[in-house]
Amino acid sequence: PFLDDALSLFMQAGNPFMQIKVLIEKAQIAVDQGKPEEALRRLARAEEMATGESFLSQRIAIADTKARAFAAKGEHQSAYLVLLQNRQNRALLQKEINSRRILELQTRFDVEKQRAQNALLEEQNLRQQNQLKNEQRLQRYTIALIGLLVVVCGLLSWLYFNGKRHQKRLEQLANFDGLTGLMTRRKTMEDAELQYQMAQRHKTPLTAAVIDLDHFKQINDKYGHQTGDNVLRAFGRKAQKHFRKTDILGRIGGEEFLFLFPHTGTDDALDMLERFAGSVRKIPDELKIKTMQVTLSVGLVDATSFSNMTRVVAVADEALYEAKETGRDKIVTGQPSATDGQSQ
């Protein structure tokens, strides 16, 4: 998923070099997963972009991965032919590097030689007056060069900090929901899995809750979608203010949320959620809509009682469904089954 997001961003930015790099990475993963055909398709896309002398090193990397894919398919002759051709490309790349080095050395030599000749001619032919003029001219050039360097440094600094701001903005858009300010579903599930693994490894408590806003569709239908959005915004603000910085607070659906509380047992989590639910009931007063009601149904589980995060969410969903079916505006604690206990 991370590479898919990266490929999409680099396609939007029009950066073929990074697109090729991501496609090669995805192809290598496909080979490792036993999907050589998929790897070859991705490499074909990369080859379409890697045209021209500036992509020689990228074509070498593509060929190496392509040979691996052919070998994984059992087409060893094709893999050999690709590597043989790639050997020529490597030689060409090395030759190009060597040529650049020779040219650089030759240029340095010519510059030094010219400097020596100019110094000798100036020493022999220039009089004191010309020397003074040259010194003045050199001084002007130096000032101009310093000014140019200052401008260039300022421009580079602006580009660097602007790039950092742009990167931070992209991360914000990718990881946080624009309406509620809570984590997106993808970011929530990633962090939830990480916290689950840490809790299992260190034998620390971890509580998960799946939360649903009761009758949210009726709020949208009766008061309008703008009011519904305002309710979600208020919910997000209250969640960020009410819970700890270490808690995982994510929006995983329209009006459905997944919260995880590290180092917290179900009793403490229940207390926090009950206080939070009381705060959410005040949203209509804050929005000045007296006839509206905003309540929560919650499915609560001890995450460490299950063998994987998928079961944690599934059982929390079942508890949430029970809360809805038995009247809503309540918290129901889900219990592991016999199978869960055996797995654990």
Side-chain angles (χ1 to χ4, degrees), residues 173-210:
L173 291 174
N175 294 334
F176 293 91
D177 175 52
L179 185 62
T180 63
L182 305 181
M183 292 180 182
T184 59
R185 180 184 180 87
R186 178 184 61 80
K187 178 66 173 173
T188 300
M189 298 311 296
E190 287 178 358
D191 287 7
E193 180 64 30
L194 178 63
Q195 288 294 338
Y196 174 80
Q197 296 296 338
M198 291 177 61
Q200 294 287 13
R201 184 181 303 115
H202 300 294
K203 307 299 182 184
T204 56
L206 176 67
T207 303
V210 175

Side-chain angles (χ1 to χ4, degrees), residues 304-308 311 315 335-344:
T304 58
S305 300
F306 301 91
S307 58
N308 55 65
R311 282 293 299 157
V315 175
Q335 301 298 329
S337 64
T339 304
D340 290 319
Q342 292 171 0
S343 300
Q344 186 67 15

